[in-house]
Amino acid sequence: MKGEKWVKKLNSHLLLLKTDMGKKLRKFNRATHRDLGYFFVAMILIYSLSGIAINHLDDWDPSYVVNKWEVKTSKKIDKNSFDKEQAKALLKDMDIDDPFRKFYFPNDNRLKIFFKGGNVIIDLQTGQGRAETLKRRAIFHTVNWLHYNPNVYWKWFSDIFAVALIILAISGLFILRGKNGLKWRGTILMTLGILLPLIFLMLFYF
């Protein structure tokens, strides 16, 4: 009888220990998921926004707003005597008020003038040309610049963020218990999330 009581007591202690460890692990898991989510919320937004922008490279320039328009000048341009002051006057003649940068002749029949934020190319024979301005997109230019890892320090921080995303994904699986967790709802949603990229790969990759 004493042996049975001892075994029951031991089992009771082991059950309490198991339960206590389980609670501590769940608490640690929730705290880790929560703290990483708070710390990396800016990174998640940065890479999400830039990811959307880069996904649509065929539809738009995600970093710059490009404006193009036709221009014309009646001024005669002599390649041999053309100078900076004439270039400034030419820009003013075409209603371009941005500060002059520099100019050069790509060939005998073309003049290209750079101004702040753009350039203009003029046909020396006809005086016709095309002006173009390049302006950074608000927010998107910044997040895209960060997305492409501008230096080694950001690269390592991005690697840390990638590892954090893995931890967030795994820890998130065990936040909820019962039917809303992996026992039912969580497993169904996770399975669907795995199947979608697999189906896409089967249709378009293999």
Side-chain angles (χ1 to χ4, degrees):
M1 293 295 292
K2 288 184 178 180
E4 290 180 3
K5 287 182 179 180
W6 184 84
V7 171
K8 287 181 179 179
K9 192 174 182 179
L10 178 62
N11 287 335
S12 177
H13 283 301
L14 288 173
L15 182 61
L16 287 172
L17 181 62
K18 183 179 179 181
T19 303
D20 187 54
M21 286 183 63
K23 287 181 179 179
K24 287 182 178 179
L25 284 173
R26 286 194 296 273
K27 186 177 180 180
F28 176 77
N29 184 69
R30 287 195 299 270
T32 301
H33 187 87
R34 177 200 64 211
D35 292 345
L36 286 176
Y38 283 137
F39 184 78
F40 285 108
V41 65
M43 290 290 284
I44 292 171
L45 292 174
I46 287 169
Y47 279 88
S48 296
L49 286 172
S50 61
I52 292 171
I54 294 170
N55 277 345
H56 297 275
L57 282 174
D58 293 337
D59 305 315
W60 71 327
D61 186 324
S63 296
Y64 295 95
V65 178
V66 181
N67 291 315
K68 296 180 180 181
W69 68 96
E70 300 297 323
V71 295
K72 184 174 176 62
T73 181
S74 58
K75 293 182 180 293
K76 295 298 180 181
I77 301 171
D78 184 350
K79 181 181 177 181
N80 297 319
S81 61
F82 193 78
D83 58 19
K84 181 172 69 173
E85 295 305 318
Q86 291 184 61
K88 290 180 179 180
L90 200 57
L91 288 176
K92 188 175 182 180
D93 183 56
M94 293 182 291
D95 296 322
I96 298 174
D97 298 323
D98 299 278
F100 166 79
R101 295 296 193 199
K102 61 181 180 179
F103 74 88
Y104 82 105
F105 292 88
N107 54 51
D108 292 335
N109 199 43
R110 290 284 188 276
L111 165 64
K112 188 168 187 177
I113 303 175
F114 293 91
F115 53 89
K116 185 178 180 180
N119 65 82
V120 59
I121 299 178
I122 303 166
D123 186 301
L124 301 185
Q125 300 298 321
T126 64
Q128 294 180 335
R130 172 171 290 185
E132 175 182 291
T133 59
L134 209 62
K135 184 180 179 182
R136 290 179 177 180
R137 289 189 187 275
I139 300 175
F140 282 105
H141 183 276
T142 305
V143 296
N144 290 338
W145 184 79
L146 290 172
H147 192 117
Y148 286 110
N149 294 330
N151 59 46
V152 66
Y153 304 108
W154 187 261
K155 179 180 73 174
W156 285 111
F157 184 54
S158 297
D159 287 343
I160 293 170
F161 170 59
V163 173
L165 284 180
I166 295 172
I167 296 172
L168 281 167
I170 295 173
S171 61
L173 297 175
F174 304 100
I175 294 293
L176 296 178
R177 302 173 66 188
K179 65 178 183 179
N180 287 325
L182 290 177
K183 285 186 177 180
W184 179 244
R185 184 187 182 92
T187 298
I188 293 173
L189 292 173
M190 181 177 66
T191 303
L192 289 173
I194 293 172
L195 284 174
L196 284 174
L198 288 177
I199 292 171
F200 188 87
L201 287 172
M202 291 174 66
L203 290 175
F204 301 104
Y205 181 78
F206 295 109

